[in-house]
Structures are given as C-alpha cells and as structure tokens.
Amino acid sequence: MRIGLLGTGNVARTLAHRWRAAGHDVLLGSRRPRERGDLGLPVAGLDETAAHAEVLVNATPGGASLNLIRSIGAPALAGTLLIDVGVGLSDDFRTLTHPNNSLGELIQEAFPLTPVVKTLCTMDATTMVAPGDLTEPGTVFLSGDDPEAKATTGKLLTDLGWPVSSQLDIGGITTARGQEHFAFLFMGIAGGVGSHTFNVKVVTRP
C-alpha cells in the first residue's frame, strides 16, 4: 500500500522503516521537507504526502496534530484511512492536551468523511514494530467507527509483527479516550520496570 506518515520523528521513522521492509511504499510528510533529507527515507510536504497516501498515519505530537491535519484540508483527506497513533501531552508530561476526550475523537469529528482508527499509542516505538521481542505476546488495541478501516489497519499491524490474536478491537472511536489516557499508567510502569520497552496484555478467564 501507499502509506503516508505525517511527522519525521522517531515514531514515524520507525514505522516507515518497518512497513517499507514489508513491501509498502512509504512517504514521510513534513512542514519543512527540504530540511529532512538526511533520514534515509523519502520526505515530502504535507499536501504531497496526503495526496500520495492510500493510508495516512498521524505520528505528530498530539498537541499539534489537529491543526496540522486541518492545514491539509478535509477535501484532500476524504475517503482516506487515517491511523492515529498520537497522544497529546504537556511539555512536562503531567497533563493531557485533550483531558475530556481524545485526539482520535477530535480528528474524526473534524473530518467526518475520513475514517479514523486509533492504535499503537499504548507503547513505545520499539514495541510497535517488534512485539515479538518481548518475553511474551502483548495486546494492541484498535478504536474506530469503520469496520473496513479497522480491518485494513489490522493487516498493517500484522505487517509490523502483531498477529491477529494480539489485536483487540475495543469499539468505536470514543474508546480512543481510554487508549490515550493510558499514557499516565504507561509512564508509571516505565518507572517501575526501568524501561519504556514493554507492553500490557489482556488476560481473561478460560
């Protein structure tokens, strides 16, 4: 697939390398693409990246994501699956920029013709692309209102190393709130285990 990733940070680059290794056509989107030619990945402007993409991935800082996506415009995004992996945190990591809802919900509300799927925001970039390196399989969550969009997202997660058995559809885009609010527990666990490379697993009764 043609995958456009908004952002050129660690998360965007890590995902892009892994999806490219799986055979996808990836393009990073930047507001200043001429300054980002040293990444070892193709980089273009935001509008060009959106036009290129069958699937667009928001990997920008969550507090700035909505305005950045709005700068592309709703017509350019209509019908394009948008996978949102962002979480909006304050500079001191003590508060959420969207404390009463979620970035995923706000993007879906602003772009009703763009199916939004929230996923991968409950882990660090290393775990996103190498879940099999952990001591046992963990869980990756999917939130979204469009079943076809979630099915496509699930296939792309499989290409990152997530088997179907590790993917958990938790419901509509409103459930993205729980994924994003997990950020505080994530930071607590990271302090407890002394690492950001870990994941959680949902276990149920037999």
Side-chain angles (χ1 to χ4, degrees):
M1 299 189 75
R2 299 187 308 276
I3 304 175
L5 297 102
L6 302 178
T8 57
N10 182 52
V11 170
R13 297 195 309 272
T14 301
L15 290 172
H17 279 297
R18 185 66 182 86
W19 274 321
R20 185 164 71 166
H24 297 287
D25 178 2
V26 302
L27 181 63
L28 297 180
S30 171
R31 287 173 290 190
R32 296 178 292 276
R34 293 183 180 179
E35 299 176 12
R36 306 299 286 162
D38 59 341
L39 302 179
L41 291 161
V43 184
L46 300 176
D47 292 343
E48 182 180 346
T49 301
H52 168 86
E54 295 173 273
V55 176
L56 201 60
V57 180
N58 174 45
T60 62
S65 294
L66 194 56
N67 285 338
L68 184 144
I69 298 171
R70 279 178 172 149
S71 73
I72 300 171
L77 300 180
T80 300
L81 164 59
L82 192 150
I83 299 174
D84 175 35
V85 303
V87 176
L89 286 166
S90 60
D91 291 340
D92 62 5
F93 299 102
R94 298 184 66 180
T95 59
L96 290 167
T97 56
H98 312 101
N100 298 315
N101 43 37
S102 69
L103 175 60
E105 290 174 274
L106 293 176
I107 295 173
Q108 186 63 88
E109 181 181 346
F111 298 90
L113 300 181
T114 299
V116 177
V117 177
K118 188 82 183 187
T119 192
L120 290 173
C121 70
T122 55
M123 64 196 74
D124 75 341
T126 302
T127 304
M128 288 180 187
V129 301
D133 289 352
L134 302 180
T135 55
E136 61 180 275
T139 303
V140 61
F141 305 98
L142 296 94
S143 302
D145 297 332
D146 187 305
E148 184 177 348
K150 282 197 279 193
T152 299
T153 301
K155 293 176 182 177
L156 292 175
L157 290 174
T158 301
D159 289 338
L160 295 177
W162 294 95
V164 173
S165 58
S166 291
Q167 301 176 26
L168 182 59
D169 182 346
I170 58 173
I173 195 62
T174 57
T175 64
R177 194 174 308 186
Q179 292 198 55
E180 294 183 28
H181 286 220
F182 178 78
F184 296 116
L185 182 55
F186 176 90
M187 289 186 284
I189 295 172
V193 302
S195 171
H196 288 87
T197 303
F198 64 89
N199 194 27
V200 297
K201 180 179 181 178
V202 175
V203 294
T204 61
R205 299 178 93 180

